[in-house]
Amino acid sequence: MSPKKSTGKSAPEKSEAPKKAAKTSAKAPKKMAKTPDLLRGFRDILPEEQVVWDAIRDQTRAMAKAYSFERIDVPVLEKAEVFERTVGAHTDIVEKEMYTFVDASGDRVSLRPEATASIARAYIGHGMLNRPQPVKLWYMGPMFRHDRPQAGRFRQFHQLGFETIGVDDPITDAQLIVIAHRLLRDLGIEASVQINSIGNNEARQAYITELSAYFKRHRAKLGEDDKRRLTKNPLRLLDSKDPAVKELLAEAPQIVDWLDDASRQHFTKVLEILDEVEVPYILNPFLVRGLDYYNRTVFEFWPQGDEGEKSQNALGGGGRYDHLIELMGGREATPAVGFALGVERIAKLIKEKTPEKEPIQVFFAQLGDAARRVGLRLFEEFRAANIPVAEAFGKSALKAQLDLANKMQVKCTLILGQKEVLDGTIILRDMESGSQEIVDMKKVVAIIRRKLTA
Ligand code: AMP
């Protein structure tokens, strides 16, 4: 008995029942599970984006090889202290952006917001001090910051980075700047190098005192955020987006005037080397980078033409971190320098310039089970010969397969039916002219190769 009939006795029920039925039939017939949304600030990197990502990966690997950097992969999850001790308690990253939680074993852990601190931990933990110095490492992988999602800012993003650990010669600073600049150029991006020196710790402390005194005199002009920065980490005022603060900066003390002699000489040498290798740079007296572990040279790469907007657009940056290894518990002072570039930002810039993925030139069409089985084997032969072949094993009608081959604009289609399987042959159809020939299955790979290179 249908529910309609069983409820059709009293007037109110009568009028309600059809309504209910109409409601359910208008909607999906079955209750559908709701697809979970992506977390805010997280994204998928889709197949069509991978050409660009592959180009970035390939160029980075080539650059690492040319300059003999070795790959390192560090975990995405570490003890929270790895970052808290080094990045700095009053930095944006540690203050509000780290994904930190207590795991099921009771450990306080963080998803890495950057990789340099972990690399320093690995350097110490694996006794890399005993390897020939410098130890030159590179990485590429996801980082996590609970940042405010906005254009170009994600909560999971990727960085590629290079680190040279164990030497303090200014040439290493310059070399890393050259590597990043060339890497970006190889990817078709002209970046402007912004550079500054933040000196040693004492010089920086003296400068911070001076900077604080200056801004305290102008405290009334500061917004709430900047007032907080003034008490907690005055250097961050240099990054302020507030026009009033930007105006104040024009008259503010500059760190170059507070540099210790050794840092000044170091900086001069870095600039001389950059001049020599003709990498253009812009001296930026207000560039300090956010993190506590930097000293001496700091630099950033901005897309050319975007220099006015420090905003959200830096492609990456880096600097010297001569005390990080000690801060992490290393036995000896170990000077180091490195940079990290944001892969999403690079990918966005090169998307338009990268050539389309190389189109597939060969399609394999089959008729019947035996042909499908032989086809799988044939595929392996084409793979070994490095010739990509498209197929539609899921379709059985030849017309549907040929339609697909046409759509893909392949050069030739191989057609294998029952008869050809028995004969050890295969039909080769030239898609442009429409002409067909029967060829020996054993020779088909060689024939196709000749056709494609002709
Ligand atoms: P940082 O060390 O914080 O200056 O980061 C280096 C580079 O990583 C930046 O210049 C960006 O290209 C990239 N980056 C940092 N944070 C994010 C984010 N939330 N989303 C996307 N890219 C980021």
Side-chain angles (χ1 to χ4, degrees):
M1 222 201 276
S2 84
K4 242 192 208 173
K5 277 180 188 160
S6 71
T7 54
K9 280 181 182 166
S10 69
E13 279 176 343
K14 227 179 185 173
S15 60
E16 259 170 36
K19 234 194 246 166
K20 260 188 201 162
K23 221 174 173 184
T24 32
S25 66
K27 277 194 172 174
K30 266 194 229 156
K31 205 173 174 205
M32 304 260 277
K34 187 177 178 305
T35 310
D37 296 329
L38 265 175
L39 287 172
R40 263 191 98 200
F42 285 71
R43 59 187 288 274
D44 301 309
I45 306 166
L46 297 174
E48 53 271 30
E49 295 175 72
Q50 298 292 342
V51 200
V52 170
W53 282 67
D54 276 345
I56 300 171
R57 278 188 276 259
D58 291 349
Q59 292 288 1
T60 308
R61 214 171 277 132
M63 192 57 82
K65 198 170 172 206
Y67 283 86
S68 48
F69 280 71
E70 292 179 297
R71 169 106 191 196
I72 184 163
D73 286 301
V74 287
V76 291
L77 199 66
E78 296 253 11
K79 286 189 174 160
E81 61 173 309
V82 169
F83 310 106
E84 285 169 350
R85 259 209 273 170
T86 56
V87 170
H90 295 304
T91 56
D92 272 353
I93 293 184
V94 169
E95 243 179 17
K96 45 185 195 200
E97 294 173 0
M98 278 223 289
Y99 281 87
T100 300
F101 55 94
V102 176
D103 73 3
S105 338
D107 289 324
R108 255 189 99 243
V109 294
S110 297
L111 281 170
R112 63 180 187 192
E114 56 110 51
T116 306
S118 305
I119 290 175
R121 184 219 16 87
Y123 177 91
I124 301 165
H126 297 282
M128 293 192 203
L129 187 64
N130 302 318
R131 299 186 186 186
Q133 304 292 302
V135 172
K136 292 158 76 176
L137 304 168
W138 75 278
Y139 62 88
M140 181 165 167
M143 308 294 157
F144 304 84
R145 294 184 196 173
H146 199 269
D147 221 342
R148 202 150 26 100
Q150 47 188 298
R153 265 191 188 260
F154 304 100
R155 289 181 172 168
Q156 176 179 328
F157 61 98
H158 296 71
Q159 284 186 339
L160 64 90
F162 285 60
E163 317 277 359
T164 301
I165 310 178
V167 280
D168 66 356
D169 196 300
I171 199 162
T172 43
D173 311 34
Q175 188 185 47
L176 283 165
I177 293 170
V178 170
I179 290 175
H181 188 254
R182 296 262 153 85
L183 176 56
L184 290 168
R185 182 176 280 179
D186 287 352
L187 289 165
I189 300 170
E190 278 307 322
S192 124
V193 180
Q194 307 276 320
I195 191 166
N196 194 19
S197 174
I198 55 170
N200 66 14
N201 286 346
E202 295 84 65
R204 200 156 52 259
Q205 283 316 317
Y207 171 69
I208 290 171
T209 310
E210 192 67 20
L211 188 72
S212 303
Y214 172 80
F215 275 108
K216 273 179 193 155
R217 288 201 293 279
H218 298 280
R219 202 166 189 280
K221 292 187 191 153
L222 303 182
E224 283 315 304
D225 269 358
D226 284 328
K227 277 185 185 141
R228 205 162 347 104
R229 287 184 176 137
L230 181 56
T231 6
K232 285 193 166 177
N233 188 355
L235 281 182
R236 275 177 48 201
L237 283 166
L238 304 180
D239 281 338
S240 173
K241 312 263 175 329
D242 183 346
V245 179
K246 284 187 171 170
E247 213 168 284
L248 285 173
L249 278 177
E251 299 292 317
Q254 300 189 352
I255 200 161
V256 278
D257 298 323
W258 297 84
L259 291 187
D260 51 293
D261 284 345
S263 295
R264 187 186 304 281
Q265 278 162 24
H266 185 98
F267 192 38
T268 311
K269 287 221 180 89
V270 175
L271 299 182
E272 278 169 10
I273 301 165
L274 290 179
D275 285 336
E276 219 157 279
V277 292
E278 295 179 18
V279 169
Y281 54 83
I282 294 169
L283 291 172
N284 181 342
F286 298 123
L287 179 73
V288 288
R289 306 275 299 142
L291 320 186
D292 277 10
Y293 57 62
Y294 286 117
N295 68 310
R296 290 197 171 169
T297 326
V298 287
F299 48 86
E300 279 187 355
F301 305 95
W302 297 359
Q304 239 171 39
D306 218 356
E307 291 93 339
E309 278 300 308
K310 165 114 178 70
S311 64
Q312 312 298 339
N313 298 328
L315 294 167
R320 222 168 227 292
Y321 51 93
D322 293 336
H323 305 293
L324 176 60
I325 305 272
E326 267 174 306
L327 215 66
M328 193 65 96
R331 262 181 301 126
E332 285 177 38
T334 310
V337 55
F339 71 80
L341 299 176
V343 183
E344 278 77 3
R345 304 248 172 109
I346 298 177
K348 191 162 176 259
L349 284 185
I350 63 176
K351 212 174 352 193
E352 299 87 36
K353 297 179 193 157
T354 316
E356 287 282 298
K357 195 168 151 189
E358 235 174 70
I360 293 189
Q361 308 267 38
V362 187
F363 190 91
F364 174 80
Q366 36 64 37
L367 277 169
D369 280 349
R372 226 173 272 168
R373 274 195 301 275
V374 176
L376 273 181
R377 205 179 59 219
L378 192 63
F379 250 81
E380 190 46 31
E381 284 176 40
F382 276 103
R383 189 200 62 78
N386 214 5
I387 302 172
V389 179
E391 46 79 16
F393 280 136
K395 294 193 195 316
S396 43
L398 184 61
K399 186 177 176 305
Q401 295 182 63
L402 290 181
D403 283 351
L404 189 62
N406 260 324
K407 223 186 208 164
M408 293 179 79
Q409 296 183 319
V410 294
K411 228 177 183 168
C412 27
T413 298
L414 296 166
I415 305 166
L416 189 65
Q418 200 78 8
K419 180 176 181 310
E420 288 76 26
V421 170
L422 291 174
D423 292 351
T425 57
I426 191 161
I427 300 167
L428 169 51
R429 182 186 175 101
D430 184 308
M431 297 301 276
E432 249 167 53
S433 65
S435 65
Q436 294 195 170
E437 55 182 315
I438 296 172
V439 301
D440 185 345
M441 174 86 86
K442 287 197 199 82
K443 295 185 185 149
V444 68
V445 175
I447 295 171
I448 290 284
R449 184 187 286 124
R450 238 178 290 131
K451 257 191 173 304
L452 295 184
T453 48

